[in-house]
Amino acid sequence: MQTVHDFIKACGTYYLATVENGQPRVRPFGTINIFDGKLYIQTGKSKEVSKQIQANPKVELCCFDGQKWLRLAGELVRDDRIEAKKDMLNKYPSLQKMYSAEDDNTEVLYFKNATATFSSFAGAPVVVKF
């Protein structure tokens, strides 16, 4: 999981895919964090992406570093603990202008049943499950 985190963090931006009424929805994200032994992302509960995840928690993200790419598929689980929110916001201080660990909007979610596939044009894919 640490390797997955480090790759995503180094890419800076990744693209998260959800589904809404059978239609794929993809948007850029930038938060990634390991907390309490789990890999987390962050969004706002008022956003459509949050509603899509709650309706269907199966998601996939993709990022590319110029040579290799990562596809991470799994289910996202909401974690309403203040400690999880605080840890994410401490790692991304710029978000503290829009979010607070104590507000009703900040949402952190962790990956469950995740499969990460690292690929490149130069070699065979490497799969990590957590």
Side-chain angles (χ1 to χ4, degrees):
M1 181 179 15
Q2 186 69 50
T3 303
V4 172
H5 169 273
D6 294 349
F7 187 87
I8 295 169
K9 186 88 169 168
C11 287
T13 300
Y14 59 89
Y15 297 87
L16 183 74
T18 58
V19 176
E20 179 181 56
N21 299 323
Q23 176 66 43
R25 303 289 182 198
V26 181
R27 82 278 296 147
F29 266 69
T31 54
I32 196 75
N33 190 32
I34 293 177
F35 176 76
D36 204 18
K38 296 176 181 137
L39 187 66
Y40 282 79
I41 67 168
Q42 184 274 331
T43 191
K45 290 180 184 175
S46 63
K47 294 183 177 181
E48 290 301 311
V49 67
S50 174
K51 296 169 189 162
Q52 293 157 7
I53 292 166
Q54 295 312 306
N56 180 355
K58 291 183 179 179
V59 301
E60 185 164 296
L61 70 76
C62 185
C63 55
F64 181 61
D65 74 357
Q67 296 180 0
K68 296 183 286 184
W69 61 93
L70 167 68
R71 290 177 52 215
L72 175 59
E75 299 169 51
L76 286 175
V77 178
R78 181 183 283 166
D79 185 343
D80 282 324
R81 293 180 298 160
I82 296 231
E83 298 84 5
K85 295 176 187 181
K86 280 184 180 179
D87 194 68
M88 177 68 80
L89 295 173
N90 285 339
K91 301 262 174 56
Y92 292 90
S94 64
L95 292 176
Q96 294 175 19
K97 296 174 188 169
M98 298 178 290
Y99 297 102
S100 163
E102 292 83 16
D103 69 25
D104 289 331
N105 185 43
T106 301
E107 179 175 46
V108 293
L109 307 113
Y110 65 86
F111 275 90
K112 176 176 124 179
N113 302 323
T115 300
T117 305
F118 291 93
S119 301
S120 73
F121 293 115
V126 174
V127 176
V128 178
K129 295 186 178 210
F130 55 93

